[in-house]
């Protein structure tokens, strides 16, 4: 079933025991064994009371329990469970449909790695007979019939019931060594290295529900602030999934009036009492218009996902949506942890402010702009539902139509590796589509900069385990003017006491 080799074979019942949130794994192997035998004792007691009501129980009796848990399987388990979370510990469940598959396949294939990523595309029916399912896509499965469940939202689609059950059907496959279930749509783009970095910060033996909200307040008000949005994707740890699947079908009927599958899951998890842990790298992208402002002001957190790319303008003007994504992914692959990360520096010889969003864009302001302003997204977009100017779940700043009040914008051209663990990213100046250019004197020197050449050391994933801090940058070749139209910038960790402060 799974494409990755299964190295770990321990009884699925262990999963149920480990799903008890109160049982902490002890530090030494012998205490670990003792507590397992204690669990066997508890299990046999609960068997007595349980079997009064049911003649069929999934609990083992005590001697079966002790026999099943052989020493060697625990040694394997104990060692393997303490290894850092990697991509093979994630089981993806993508909610798709035979109908949307053709149009969305390229989004999925932009991040899916055959024989590396594990998981399935869940479809409502078999793809049409003439479709050869590509090896480059997640293998598909057909969802169980869900017509017996209630669905009463007048403005939604019944398919959300089927998609809410992807977590249950994924769990029931009983695949081994799964620490996290990650759910997403067929147009969700995951940045898997960063997803692993983020999940590895959390203890997968505890109950976690990790994701993000909608950017548009109107969506959060209608749907909820206290759930993880499915388009941005979210992660459920194994022990939480174990509790969730027991109550899910009841929740689906109970929350029949809720529009989306993610809302139904959110409702169900709130019955368990686990709040959503918000991670700032999950992006539902509930916006319309140009995503530039959002992407050019990413929070100080790894980029984990993007969504709705068919509903916003292409990320790079002049390229198609999919080619834009390919361009961003190319840059991302050169330095996953740094993708879209913001850095600001001043060129005090010219009183310029430079804002780098690594792998995507550089903005040059021919004046000294505070870090607070530079960090605020420029509002190049409107809200999702009503196409309004506001509100969003973050502050935005207005961008004037006047070219003399706008930064000069550069977009990534290419990223290359130079030496080990070092990259060079080149950003090329864009021409305003309306041909507007500021004629003011202070802008003229800025126009002599055709390219930014940004060097940086590859961002080590371990840095994301530390307290977050935006990195610092400096202009390298400023002394003798802008040679050959290229301004060189170096990104590095900040020095002690260093701040982005205008003189
Ligand atoms: C992931 O970790 C497991 C241990 O839990 C190990 O067996 C496996 O080889 C690792 N896989 C990758 C791709 O690093
Ligand atoms: C995945 O693994 C299978 C079996 O080992 C192999 O036949 C197939 O070619 C691999 N696919 C890719 C895309 O590497
Ligand atoms: C696919 O082909 C089979 C037999 O050739 C046929 O019975 C079935 O209805 C076809 N399905 C679709 C979706 O066209
Ligand atoms: C930069 O700004 C400072 C004060 O804001 C001013 O004194 C200085 O002359 C300016 N330098 C240039 C090169 O414009
Ligand atoms: C970019 O900068 C590096 C030095 O940091 C230099 O080696 C390289 O030649 C520069 N590239 C261009 C096109 O200027």
């Amino acid at each position: 079933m799974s494409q990755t080799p299964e190295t770990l074979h321990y009884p699925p019942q262990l999963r149920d025991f480990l799903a008890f949130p109160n049982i902490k794994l002890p530090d030494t192997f012998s205490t670990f064994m003792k507590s397992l035998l204690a669990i066997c004792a508890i299990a046999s007691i609960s068997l007595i009371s349980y079997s009064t009501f049911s003649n069929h129980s999934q609990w083992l009796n005590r001697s079966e329990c002790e026999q099943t848990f052989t020493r060697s399987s625990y040694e394997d388990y104990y060692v393997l469970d303490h290894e850092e979370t990697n991509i093979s510990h994630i089981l993806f469940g993508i909610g798709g449909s035979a109908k949307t598959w053709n149009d969305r396949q390229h989004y999925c294939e932009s991040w899916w790695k055959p024989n590396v990523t594990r998981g399935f595309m869940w479809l409502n029916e078999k793809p049409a007979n003439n479709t050869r399912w590509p090896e480059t896509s997640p293998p598909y499965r057909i969802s169980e019939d869900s017509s017996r469940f209630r669905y009463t939202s007048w403005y939604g689609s019944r398919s959300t019931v089927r998609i809410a059950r992807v977590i249950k059907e994924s769990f029931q496959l009983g695949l081994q060594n799964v620490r996290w279930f990650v759910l997403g749509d067929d147009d969700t783009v995951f940045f898997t290295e960063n997803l692993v970095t983020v999940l590895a910060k959390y203890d997968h033996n505890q109950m976690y529900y990790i994701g993000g909200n909608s950017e548009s307040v109107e969506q959060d008000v209608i749907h909820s602030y206290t759930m993880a949005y499915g388009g941005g994707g979210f992660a459920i740890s194994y022990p939480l999934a174990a509790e969730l699947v027991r109550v899910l079908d009841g929740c689906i009927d109970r929350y029949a009036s809720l529009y989306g599958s993610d809302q139904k899951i959110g409702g169900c998890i709130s019955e368990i009492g686990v709040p959503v842990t918000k991670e700032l790298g999950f992006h539902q992208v509930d916006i319309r218009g140009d995503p530039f402002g959002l992407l050019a002001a990413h929070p100080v957190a790894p980029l984990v996902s993007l969504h709705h790319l068919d509903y916003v303008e292409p990320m790079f003007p002049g390229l198609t949506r999919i080619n834009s994504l390919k361009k961003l992914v190319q840059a991302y692959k050169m330095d996953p942890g740094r993708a879209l990360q913001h850095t600001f520096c001043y060129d005090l010889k010219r009183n310029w402010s430079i804002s780098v969003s690594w792998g995507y864009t550089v903005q040059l302001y021919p004046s000294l702009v505070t870090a607070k302003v530079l960090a605020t997204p420029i509002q190049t977009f409107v809200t999702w539902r009503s196409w309004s100017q506001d509100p969003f779940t973050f502050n935005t700043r207005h961008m004037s139509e006047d070219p003399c009040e706008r930064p000069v914008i550069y977009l990534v051209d290419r990223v290359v590796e130079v030496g080990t663990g070092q990259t060079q990213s080149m950003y090329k100046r864009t021409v305003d589509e309306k041909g507007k250019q500021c004629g003011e004197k202070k802008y003229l020197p800025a126009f002599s900069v055709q390219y930014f050449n940004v060097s940086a050391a590859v961002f080590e994933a371990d840095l994301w385990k530390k307290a977050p801090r935006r990195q610092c940058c400096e202009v390298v070749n400023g002394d003798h003017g802008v040679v050959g139209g290229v301004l060189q910038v170096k990104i590095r960790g900040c020095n002690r006491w260093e701040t982005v402060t205008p003189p």
Side-chain angles (χ1 to χ4, degrees):
M1 265 183 278
S2 157
Q3 296 173 321
T4 40
E6 304 289 13
T7 50
L8 184 59
H9 299 283
Y10 54 86
Q13 286 85 355
L14 174 63
R15 288 305 205 175
D16 291 330
F17 294 125
L18 290 173
F20 282 103
N22 300 337
I23 297 172
K24 286 218 174 63
L25 290 181
D27 290 335
T28 68
F29 183 72
S30 66
T31 14
F32 182 59
M33 283 306 289
K34 271 186 218 149
S35 59
L36 279 170
L37 297 182
I39 293 169
C40 288
I42 298 165
S44 63
I45 294 163
S46 51
L47 176 72
I48 296 165
S49 52
Y50 189 64
S51 56
T52 318
F53 303 102
S54 157
N55 48 13
H56 139 109
S57 166
Q58 58 174 316
W59 299 101
L60 300 171
N61 71 34
R62 183 172 185 162
S63 72
E64 273 171 350
C65 182
E66 286 173 12
Q67 281 161 19
T68 317
F69 297 151
T70 63
R71 186 180 171 96
S72 74
S73 70
Y74 285 115
E75 269 170 349
D76 286 352
Y77 178 74
Y78 190 68
V79 170
L80 289 174
D81 191 58
H82 278 68
E83 271 180 33
E84 183 131 349
T85 292
N86 64 45
I87 189 69
S88 73
H89 294 121
I90 298 174
L91 188 69
F92 289 93
I94 310 302
S97 77
K99 211 168 117 195
T100 53
W101 172 242
N102 257 343
D103 293 339
R104 293 180 167 179
Q105 177 182 352
H106 49 263
Y107 286 126
C108 210
E109 291 184 351
S110 71
W111 62 271
W112 184 260
K113 295 190 192 77
N115 293 351
V116 175
T117 40
R118 301 166 74 190
F120 300 95
M121 167 75 66
W122 294 85
L123 299 178
N124 52 330
E125 59 184 7
K126 265 187 113 108
N129 274 349
N130 54 4
T131 318
R132 231 192 106 252
W133 195 260
E135 257 193 41
T136 44
S137 289
Y140 75 85
R141 289 192 162 244
I142 311 296
S143 303
E144 285 167 15
D145 175 34
S146 56
S147 55
R148 68 181 185 281
F149 294 97
R150 294 177 60 223
Y151 186 75
T152 59
S153 166
W154 60 271
Y155 61 105
S157 154
R158 166 161 262 292
S159 64
T160 57
V161 169
R162 177 177 71 81
I163 289 169
R165 296 185 79 252
V166 164
I167 175 69
K168 182 164 178 166
E169 293 189 53
S170 299
F171 185 89
Q172 284 171 343
L173 296 174
L175 297 182
Q176 307 212 321
N177 215 4
V178 174
R179 295 182 180 180
W180 296 92
F181 294 87
V182 171
L183 289 311
D185 288 352
D186 52 1
D187 62 341
T188 306
V189 174
F190 285 108
F191 294 84
T192 54
E193 288 79 1
N194 291 345
L195 175 65
V196 169
T197 301
V198 166
L199 295 183
K201 290 194 300 183
Y202 298 92
D203 177 357
H204 59 277
N205 287 312
Q206 298 190 37
M207 296 203 285
Y208 279 110
Y209 172 40
I210 300 174
N213 276 167
S214 170
E215 295 83 355
S216 287
V217 167
E218 59 194 18
Q219 290 291 96
D220 293 313
V221 168
I222 293 169
H223 300 300
S224 171
Y225 277 101
T226 55
M227 71 185 214
Y229 279 65
F234 56 90
I236 292 179
S237 61
Y238 192 96
L240 178 57
E243 297 230 359
L244 177 63
V245 301
R246 288 164 69 115
V247 287
L248 184 68
D249 286 349
C251 292
I252 287 176
D253 280 336
R254 217 163 14 264
Y255 299 106
S257 66
L258 297 186
Y259 163 85
S261 52
D262 46 4
Q263 266 177 303
K264 294 172 197 290
I265 301 269
C268 211
I269 294 181
S270 83
E271 294 189 4
I272 299 167
V274 173
V276 56
T277 297
K278 290 189 184 146
E279 273 286 345
L280 298 172
F282 288 87
H283 300 287
Q284 170 78 7
V285 192
D286 269 350
I287 57 169
R288 310 274 182 173
D290 187 347
F292 177 84
L294 187 73
L295 299 174
H298 197 272
V300 184
L303 167 67
V304 173
S305 69
L306 290 174
H307 177 234
H308 275 163
L309 294 178
D310 268 343
Y311 299 85
V312 290
E313 286 163 22
M315 293 181 277
F316 294 92
L319 293 188
T320 60
R321 293 186 165 85
I322 186 64
N323 285 339
S324 293
L325 176 61
K326 283 182 179 158
K327 187 158 197 159
L328 187 70
V329 168
Q330 259 165 20
Y332 159 81
K333 282 187 174 154
M334 300 301 293
D335 191 352
R338 193 179 289 287
L340 298 188
Q341 291 307 302
H342 230 168
T343 42
F344 312 136
C345 41
Y346 297 127
D347 178 338
L348 292 178
K349 296 204 184 56
R350 306 174 185 85
N351 286 349
W352 285 352
S353 306
I354 294 156
S355 159
V356 181
S357 306
W358 192 90
Y360 182 51
T361 186
V362 174
Q363 299 165 54
L364 168 58
Y365 296 77
S367 57
L368 298 179
V369 181
T370 60
K372 179 87 178 72
V373 170
L374 294 174
T376 305
I378 298 172
Q379 199 179 326
T380 55
F381 45 82
V382 291
T383 65
W384 174 254
R385 172 176 290 257
S386 64
W387 300 61
S388 308
Q389 289 297 322
D390 57 59
F392 293 97
T393 51
F394 45 83
N395 300 109
T396 59
R397 61 186 158 121
H398 177 71
M399 181 55 70
S400 165
E401 284 286 304
D402 179 354
C404 295
E405 287 175 27
R406 297 166 74 102
V408 185
I409 290 172
Y410 302 75
L411 289 173
V412 72
D413 190 40
R414 60 181 193 276
V415 183
V416 293
E417 198 181 340
V418 287
T420 40
Q422 197 77 26
T423 66
Q424 208 98 87
S425 47
M426 300 285 290
Y427 305 78
K428 188 174 192 291
R429 183 149 73 88
T430 60
V431 187
D432 185 287
E433 64 219 38
K434 296 184 192 115
K436 285 197 224 161
Q437 188 164 305
C438 177
E440 275 179 28
K441 208 169 133 219
K442 71 171 181 177
Y443 266 80
L444 295 180
F447 291 139
S448 70
V449 180
Q450 291 293 335
Y451 282 96
F452 272 88
N453 181 357
V454 176
S455 65
V458 169
F459 200 97
E460 285 167 38
D462 276 359
L463 263 181
W464 283 124
K465 291 191 185 134
K466 303 196 167 151
R469 183 180 182 184
R470 196 178 54 229
Q471 288 204 324
C472 288
C473 60
E474 58 191 79
V475 175
V476 176
N477 70 337
D479 290 357
H480 312 290
V482 180
V483 181
V486 182
L487 201 60
Q488 311 237 357
V489 170
K490 182 182 173 191
I491 302 179
R492 49 165 178 75
C494 300
N495 297 321
R496 200 168 184 209
W497 313 123
E498 185 173 3
T499 57
V500 179
T501 307

